[in-house]
């Protein structure tokens, strides 16, 4: 299990950043380097004020090491993101699942609150999560080979998922700058 935490600042108000992530996540795709598409599959307004959103993300093999690219399929680069947004708390609890079997488990909590140094104009994004990888489950790869490739696959998945989670802040910055 790999734990990660990152912080990034977006120079737009937290309410706008949060609203964009909940309502218009698909619009930031052109600003993300390793994501081809985001599709909202469902949205549910919960009685306690939370919003549950299920989205399908389509990644690219842009960051994959050459040695594992032949084993990657479009499906293995697709993941489902279940997000329970708590807008009043500027928080989202999330879980990512792969479409192609159980290649990894990843979940965490992100915070999108006003930046203490500029509460009216900037957002401090904090991404936290845990990632467990199962490279021996990669389709078409024998278990023994998957275990030997484990360090390379772990590095690829960490380099794909964790930066994508943080890259959202960069995508939001670009998208919101374009909108202003």
């Amino acid at each position: 299990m790999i734990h990660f935490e990152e912080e990034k600042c977006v120079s737009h108000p937290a309410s706008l950043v949060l609203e964009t992530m909940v309502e218009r996540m698909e619009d930031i795709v052109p600003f993300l380097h390793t994501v081809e598409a985001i599709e909202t599959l469902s949205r549910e307004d919960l009685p306690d004020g939370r919003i549950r959103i299920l989205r399908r993300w389509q990644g690219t093999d842009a960051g994959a090491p050459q040695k594992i690219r032949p084993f990657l399929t479009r499906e293995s680069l697709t993941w489902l993101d279940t997000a329970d947004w708590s807008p009043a708390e500027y928080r989202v609890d999330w879980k990512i699942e792969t479409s192609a079997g159980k290649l990894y488990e990843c979940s965490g909590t992100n915070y999108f609150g006003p930046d203490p140094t500029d509460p009216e104009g900037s957002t401090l994004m904090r991404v936290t999560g845990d990632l467990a990888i199962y490279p021996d489950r990669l389709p078409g790869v024998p278990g023994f080979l998957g275990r030997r490739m484990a360090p390379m696959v772990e590095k690829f998945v960490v380099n794909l998922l964790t930066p994508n989670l943080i890259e959202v802040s960069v995508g939001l910055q670009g998208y919101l700058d374009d909108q202003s």
Side-chain angles (χ1 to χ4, degrees):
M1 181 81 62
I2 300 168
H3 180 76
F4 55 90
E5 288 189 34
E6 295 282 340
E7 284 188 352
K8 280 282 197 189
C9 189
V10 176
S11 62
H12 293 276
S15 58
L16 179 59
V17 168
L18 185 68
E19 188 266 336
T20 301
M21 293 193 70
V22 171
E23 303 297 337
R24 298 187 312 276
M25 183 69 90
E26 293 86 350
D27 293 346
I28 71 167
V29 169
F31 300 91
L32 302 174
H33 297 92
T34 58
V35 176
E36 181 180 302
I38 302 172
E39 177 188 6
T40 298
L41 302 176
S42 67
R43 177 194 168 119
E44 181 182 3
D45 293 325
L46 303 172
D48 61 1
R50 290 181 303 128
I51 303 164
R52 179 168 294 140
I53 299 176
L54 175 63
R55 290 185 170 116
R56 178 184 299 121
W57 293 60
Q58 180 61 58
T60 68
D61 67 358
Q66 282 297 121
K67 289 183 180 180
I68 67 170
R69 284 187 186 180
F71 301 106
L72 297 175
T73 63
R74 186 164 176 77
E75 188 178 339
S76 68
L77 294 167
T78 301
W79 62 93
L80 297 175
D81 168 25
T82 302
D84 283 338
W85 294 89
S86 300
E89 299 171 33
Y90 292 98
R91 187 184 93 220
V92 60
D93 298 308
W94 53 270
K95 179 176 73 166
I96 294 174
E97 300 172 70
T98 56
S99 296
K102 198 171 187 176
L103 300 176
Y104 58 83
E105 294 175 355
C106 192
S107 62
T109 301
N110 299 350
Y111 304 89
F112 307 90
D115 184 346
T117 63
D118 181 16
E120 298 299 315
S122 295
T123 303
L124 184 61
M125 294 180 63
R126 194 173 93 204
V127 175
T128 67
D130 294 296
L131 173 66
I133 301 167
Y134 310 107
D136 53 332
R137 298 178 183 168
L138 195 61
V141 178
F144 77 93
L145 184 57
R147 287 185 289 281
R148 282 188 31 207
M149 293 172 56
M152 189 183 328
V153 174
E154 284 179 353
K155 183 178 178 187
F156 166 62
V157 174
V158 168
N159 287 339
L160 177 67
L161 289 179
T162 55
N164 277 344
L165 294 167
I166 274 297
E167 188 183 10
V168 167
S169 65
V170 175
L172 281 164
Q173 183 72 52
Y175 171 76
L176 293 171
D177 287 351
D178 258 17
Q179 299 300 302
S180 355

